[in-house]
Amino acid sequence: MNEVVETLRKIEEKYKLFQQQQFTFIRALERTREEAHDLIRPVSSIVQVQCYKDHHCHNSTDRRILNMFISICNDLRCLCHRMETVHPGDSVTKGLLEKCKVLLNDSNDLSALRATYPHGVVNYLSLEEARHRYGGVVSILPIVIDSMREWITHSKRHLLYIEKDFQKFLAANQRPQQKAPWRPPGKHPY
């Protein structure tokens, strides 16, 4: 469990760096969409970002920021699989993991997805950009990271509850320890 928490912390650090460069990310998407002659439809999937990077990106800064986005998505996907193996979970944790898997699916349509308060990622976009172009693609990372934090919180509570129950069980079912017989002070053969 500690390994999962540490991995998520590292991903959150990468995301904070990415978040500081959101303007660069949007401009990179604009330039690659223009190069691809694809200005009408919104950026609606991770595969679409990958395609722009692979086939229509000629600028190293654009390539770097698009790679960063795809890398964070891949890291989150790997963490999702690790979470499944760490704690099989109950209906709540399974639901959170399923939500993350669906959102991180390469071909999932993100166009209707919007991050809400306390995330301001959509607020930094113009109304046109937020509604019709990039609202979903900038919202996926904070929503998935929040779901993973919630999974960790719920799993820790669940594991703590199980551990307390187990310790109560041990205390109730432990054989009383037999004390050594009392011997008067003095010389003993051993």
Side-chain angles (χ1 to χ4, degrees):
M1 182 61 121
N2 292 337
E3 188 179 315
V4 169
V5 173
E6 183 62 24
T7 305
L8 183 60
R9 188 187 62 74
K10 288 178 183 175
I11 292 172
E12 285 175 334
E13 286 176 7
K14 282 175 71 175
Y15 174 65
K16 283 179 187 173
L17 182 64
F18 176 79
Q19 197 173 13
Q20 292 168 355
Q21 300 173 32
Q22 180 177 326
F23 184 75
T24 307
F25 178 64
I26 297 303
R27 296 304 153 244
L29 286 173
E30 279 182 0
R31 279 191 286 274
T32 54
R33 289 175 71 223
E34 190 175 314
E35 182 69 30
H37 305 292
D38 193 15
L39 294 173
I40 296 172
R41 67 184 180 133
V43 180
S44 60
S45 69
I46 298 170
V47 166
Q48 195 173 359
V49 175
Q50 178 80 45
C51 181
Y52 289 152
K53 181 192 74 82
D54 292 342
H55 304 293
H56 305 287
C57 186
H58 305 297
N59 181 334
S60 62
T61 304
D62 294 352
R63 186 176 304 283
R64 181 191 53 79
I65 195 71
L66 295 176
N67 264 334
M68 187 181 227
F69 173 78
I70 292 165
S71 170
I72 293 171
C73 289
N74 288 336
D75 291 348
L76 287 169
R77 200 175 292 123
C78 290
L79 182 59
C80 213
H81 292 298
R82 186 178 297 156
M83 286 174 155
E84 272 185 320
T85 59
V86 166
H87 176 58
D90 54 9
S91 62
V92 174
T93 54
K94 285 181 182 177
L96 289 168
L97 276 181
E98 193 58 37
K99 175 183 175 183
C100 291
K101 283 182 185 176
V102 167
L103 289 174
L104 291 169
N105 186 351
D106 283 337
S107 58
N108 184 35
D109 184 9
L110 307 172
S111 54
L113 193 64
R114 295 294 179 272
T116 56
Y117 180 81
H119 303 292
V121 291
V122 178
N123 297 341
Y124 300 124
L125 303 174
S126 70
L127 183 63
E128 177 68 22
E129 288 173 334
R131 276 197 188 155
H132 302 294
R133 296 187 208 146
Y134 312 116
V137 78
V138 298
S139 297
I140 185 173
L141 296 178
I143 290 173
V144 170
I145 288 172
D146 280 354
S147 295
M148 289 186 169
R149 275 193 213 129
E150 192 176 338
W151 182 93
I152 287 171
T153 302
H154 185 81
S155 296
K156 279 186 174 179
R157 282 189 198 142
H158 185 72
L159 290 174
L160 190 63
Y161 178 75
I162 289 173
E163 187 177 313
K164 285 182 180 178
D165 279 355
F166 183 68
Q167 288 187 357
K168 284 180 188 175
F169 172 78
L170 285 178
N173 294 321
Q174 206 171 32
R175 282 197 260 161
Q177 294 180 350
Q178 294 182 352
K179 295 181 182 177
W182 181 82
R183 296 189 181 187
K187 294 184 179 180
H188 296 288
Y190 48 103

